[in-house]
């Protein structure tokens, strides 16, 4: 099976431009970063297309002429059952093609990167086989960083374990966004939850966790959700939570994004919402001095976005915390014979050449909603039947409008404007875009039509929507995370309403055409008959939800409680430990 033939067919390569010839090589690089099952699946799908070409013409795609390749694709595209297979193949091809087109045009000029504050970093290979600390924090993302800073400032000797590497701001400016994408995300960004429909769940793996690759948007936990946690669920830690959020916002320097760097995509969303009389405003973000490079999700090349490796972790290290990189927590060590019941005793850590142990009387598990349940199972702490359940992912979808004049959505803030008219119904609409060369918005068409759409991508304005979903997913697995998520039919209806609302907002600015983010459904003009696309996960939560008061049994479960409680000496600090999702509709669930 030749990737060259598939690329030539999908992109209608007639030899008139240089950049399509480089796409197969770029595509191989993208595939090499994916986990073996995803890589094998994509190659099998490409092989099936090639086999169809042989059955119809007697020759493989790479030996056919341009018109013959187009005829093969037209026949495949006329079969609705095959469209999902073609969609899967198009995504990595479009990523590779967009990057090569961008590089041909030359990289956008960039100013000097800010110097990163110092961190105390030690590669796992250089860490001793046995050591001691007062506290070990598993995970260096949002929750782990705040826990490490709090404990270090209290005078404890803190060690933070991070499975990924450290990436500097300066390094972000040296490579294309797609190259950083495959390095900064777990499984090259190809983590998938099986179910109806399958979901892509991109999760960061680096010092700073997913804060390195999020959009920088900062929403506070709504007051009625905090009241629900405290009043109805007995989670009294929610009392006074606003005071802690104030401190977090000061640390991250959160403020409304100035309009001068929103870009045309955000300005069009603002104008469309205002014409409808809808509430809309620039989003509050943790990116002071943002230059509008539209690369938040692959590491900010300007150092403006205050990810925790630039804000919280430096303060933790200044207070004495140390960070071990390339360190995968294999299990939490538990002393079962301590008076009063089992107690955490440290962490066993896997590295390339073996393992090491850090002994500590306090262990904070902040590995996120997807990695915390398997870690607890590996540690013998996963007996509770609800562990790994309640996964909520806030599914997302998008709509694009093609305008007569260039929009160039990737020049400006990646996630710039929030339309909150439907927030109370669990729908948040945002003006969103993708980094230069990474138009993962799946363009319609095959062959010549797809090539035309790709070359006109600068005229697309894009809106995205995320919804408050019912926590119907599960995190399975012990040594490797396995995910299952079935979209609740009622949430599918909410996604439908979100797509219609985005279409209305987009159409107010008189685009030439609006299209949902799925080539399986034709682009629409006028009043579209919207159909939701396969959603993309935004965040996970509540897979290890816990309870107070602190009473514990020897098995780590409060009698009569449906929530898991950790053994003495261990704690959780991430979205996985919240009683419910932190979205606007959570209190009503």
């Amino acid at each position: 099976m030749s990737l060259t033939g598939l690329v030539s067919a999908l992109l209608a390569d007639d030899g008139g431009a240089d950049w399509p010839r480089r796409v197969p090589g770029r595509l191989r690089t993208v595939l090499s970063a994916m986990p073996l099952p995803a890589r094998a699946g994509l190659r099998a799908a490409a092989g099936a297309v090639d086999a169809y070409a042989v059955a119809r013409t007697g020759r493989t795609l790479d030996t056919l002429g341009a018109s013959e390749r187009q005829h093969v694709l037209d026949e495949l595209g006329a079969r609705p059952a095959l469209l999902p297979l073609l969609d899967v193949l198009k995504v990595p091809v479009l990523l590779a093609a967009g990057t090569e087109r961008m590089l041909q045009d030359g990289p956008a000029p960039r100013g000097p990167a800010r110097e990163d504050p110092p961190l105390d970093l030690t590669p796992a290979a250089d860490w001793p086989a046995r050591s001691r600390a007062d506290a070990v924090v598993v995970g260096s993302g949002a929750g782990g960083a705040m826990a490490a800073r709090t404990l270090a400032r209290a005078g404890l000797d803190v060690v933070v374990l991070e499975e990924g590497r450290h990436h500097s701001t300066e390094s972000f400016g040296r490579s294309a966004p797609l190259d950083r994408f495959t390095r900064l995300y777990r499984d090259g960004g190809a983590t998938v939850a099986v179910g109806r429909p399958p979901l892509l769940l991109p999760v960061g793996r680096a010092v700073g966790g997913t804060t390195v690759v999020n959009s920088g948007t900062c929403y506070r936990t709504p007051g009625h959700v905090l009241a629900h946690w405290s009043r109805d669920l007995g989670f009294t830690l929610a009392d006074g939570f606003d005071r802690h959020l104030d401190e977090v916002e000061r640390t991250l320097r959160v403020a409304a994004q100035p309009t001068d760097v929103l870009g045309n995509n955000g300005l069009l969303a603002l104008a469309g919402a205002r014409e409808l009389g809808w509430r809309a405003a620039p989003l509050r973000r943790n990116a002071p001095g943002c230059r509008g490079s539209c690369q938040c999700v692959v590491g900010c090349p300007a150092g403006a976005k205050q990810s925790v490796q630039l804000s919280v972790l430096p303060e933790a290290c200044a207070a004495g915390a140390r960070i071990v990189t390339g360190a995968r927590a294999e299990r939490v060590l538990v002393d079962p014979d301590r008076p009063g019941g089992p107690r955490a005793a440290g962490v066993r850590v896997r590295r390339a050449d073996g393992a090491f142990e850090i002994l500590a009387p306090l262990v904070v598990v902040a590995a996120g909603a997807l990695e915390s349940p398997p870690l607890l199972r590996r540690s013998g702490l996963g007996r509770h039947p609800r562990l790994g359940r309640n996964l909520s992912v806030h599914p997302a979808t998008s709509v694009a409008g093609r305008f007569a004049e260039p929009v160039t959505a990737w020049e400006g803030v990646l996630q710039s404007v929030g339309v909150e008219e439907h927030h109370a119904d669990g729908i948040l609409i945002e003006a969103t875009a993708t980094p230069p060369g990474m138009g993962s918005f799946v363009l319609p068409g095959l062959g010549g039509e797809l090539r035309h759409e790709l070359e006109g991508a600068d005229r697309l304005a894009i809106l995205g929507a995320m919804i408050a979903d019912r926590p119907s997913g599960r995190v399975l697995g012990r040594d490797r995370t396995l995910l299952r998520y079935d979209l609740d039919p009622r949430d599918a209806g909410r996604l439908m309403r979100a797509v219609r609302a985005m279409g209305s907002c987009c159409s107010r600015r008189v685009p030439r055409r609006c299209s949902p983010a799925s080539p399986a459904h034709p682009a629409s003009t006028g009043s579209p008959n919207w159909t939701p696309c396969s959603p993309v996960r935004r965040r996970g939560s509540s897979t290890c939800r816990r309870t107070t008061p602190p009473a514990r049994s020897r098995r780590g479960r409060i009698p009569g409680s449906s929530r898991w409680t950790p053994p003495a000496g261990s704690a959780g600090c991430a979205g996985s430990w919240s009683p419910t999702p932190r979205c606007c509709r959570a209190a009503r669930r």
Side-chain angles (χ1 to χ4, degrees), residues 114 116-117 119 140-143 145-146 149 166-169 172 184-185 204 206-218 248 251-254 285-288 295-316 323:
R114 303 176 186 177
D116 292 352
L119 295 172
S140 68
M146 292 301 294
R149 188 182 74 165
H166 173 254
H167 300 267
S168 67
T169 298
F172 294 150
L184 290 169
Y185 285 82
V207 173
T210 300
T211 73
V212 179
V213 295
N214 67 17
S215 63
T217 301
C218 298
V248 169
T251 298
L252 301 182
R253 302 167 66 187
V254 176
R285 305 179 66 244
N286 62 331
Q295 299 182 42
C296 310
V297 296
V298 287
C300 177
K305 187 181 72 171
Q306 294 299 289
S307 309
V308 296
Q309 87 279 8
L310 300 181
S311 52
V312 182
L313 286 173
E315 295 180 353
I323 304 170

Side-chain angles (χ1 to χ4, degrees), residues 191 201 203 367-374 391 475-476 481 483 537 540 543 576:
T191 303
L201 288 91
V203 181
L370 306 187
E371 296 299 321
S372 293
L391 177 65
V475 179
L476 306 169
T481 301
L483 304 171
R537 173 261 187 194
T543 56
S576 58

Side-chain angles (χ1 to χ4, degrees), residues 19 22 111 126 198 205 257 274 285 338 392 509 589:
W19 64 264
R22 299 190 296 271
D126 298 335
R205 185 173 65 174
Q257 185 64 56
R274 286 169 180 165
R285 305 179 66 244
R338 293 287 296 271
S392 176
R509 301 311 300 161
R589 297 277 152 78

Side-chain angles (χ1 to χ4, degrees), residues 334-344 552-555 567-568:
V334 178
D335 182 352
D337 300 322
R338 293 287 296 271
R343 184 174 185 87
R552 297 178 172 87
S553 71
R554 287 187 60 85
R555 292 189 178 182

Side-chain angles (χ1 to χ4, degrees), residues 222 224-225 390-397 422-429 464-473 485-498 535-539 541 580-589:
H224 68 270
V225 173
N390 311 303
L391 177 65
S392 176
V393 300
H394 293 336
T397 187
H422 306 280
H423 209 171
D425 189 33
I427 298 171
L428 176 62
I429 297 173
M466 57 189 296
I467 67 165
D469 60 328
R470 288 163 177 80
S472 57
Y485 182 89
D486 293 310
L487 186 68
D488 188 283
R490 291 166 291 183
D491 292 332
R494 183 172 287 113
L495 273 175
M496 289 279 286
R497 294 194 295 276
V536 176
R537 173 261 187 194
R538 290 298 182 93
R539 65 173 68 88
S541 63
T580 70
R582 292 160 289 170
C583 57
C584 58
R585 298 277 297 181
R588 305 181 188 180
R589 297 277 152 78

Side-chain angles (χ1 to χ4, degrees), residues 434-459:
T434 57
M438 284 188 59
S440 57
F441 178 84
V442 183
L443 298 168
L446 298 166
E449 182 185 357
L450 180 60
R451 176 71 172 268
H452 175 74
E453 295 286 348
L454 181 62
E455 292 179 344
D458 63 333
R459 285 173 161 73

